[in-house]
Amino acid sequence: MIFKLVGDGRPYPEHGLSSREWAQIPPRQVRLDTLITTKAVLDLHSLLSKDSTFYGDLFPHVVQWQGELYLEDGLHRALRSALHQRSVLHARVLELQD
């Protein structure tokens, strides 16, 4: 099992963080098997592209809400980690209040 659950959508309230605001959150280690995805589909071109991790934030974005961790952005990075036999990844985690 790679993820705790494969979801489809964001069950948490809109947070409205910009890329600049995400960048202010320090990355921390997160276990892949504690993450719930917010996307059920991934384009293989994105996953297999050599520069798929070149653009955008270096770290995936995770939202912690109601005791769960939701992978909002960076599914391709998380899957690449799993393919390399890694059980953790560094991500920026936004903690939303219930």
Side-chain angles (χ1 to χ4, degrees):
M1 172 166 77
I2 297 173
F3 300 112
K4 180 177 183 177
L5 184 69
V6 175
D8 193 16
R10 301 174 183 174
Y12 49 86
E14 178 62 40
H15 52 71
L17 255 63
S18 68
S19 297
R20 178 171 283 165
E21 291 168 317
W22 271 109
Q24 300 302 310
I25 300 172
R28 70 179 206 208
Q29 284 190 340
V30 177
R31 289 185 52 86
L32 291 175
D33 62 2
T34 64
L35 294 174
I36 300 171
T37 70
T38 59
K39 297 176 187 172
V41 177
L42 175 70
D43 178 23
L44 281 177
H45 289 290
S46 295
L47 178 64
L48 301 175
S49 173
K50 290 182 181 180
D51 65 353
S52 70
T53 57
F54 181 76
Y55 301 102
D57 195 348
L58 178 62
F59 302 102
H61 296 171
V62 173
V63 175
Q64 183 175 347
W65 185 64
Q66 294 185 339
E68 300 289 357
L69 295 172
Y70 295 93
L71 180 60
E72 179 175 290
D73 184 49
L75 179 57
H76 61 290
R77 294 177 198 274
L79 283 173
R80 278 190 170 194
S81 291
L83 290 171
H84 286 99
Q85 306 293 316
R86 297 185 197 120
S87 60
V88 297
L89 68 112
H90 286 83
R92 299 184 193 281
V93 179
L94 172 66
E95 298 177 16
L96 287 183
Q97 300 302 316
D98 298 340

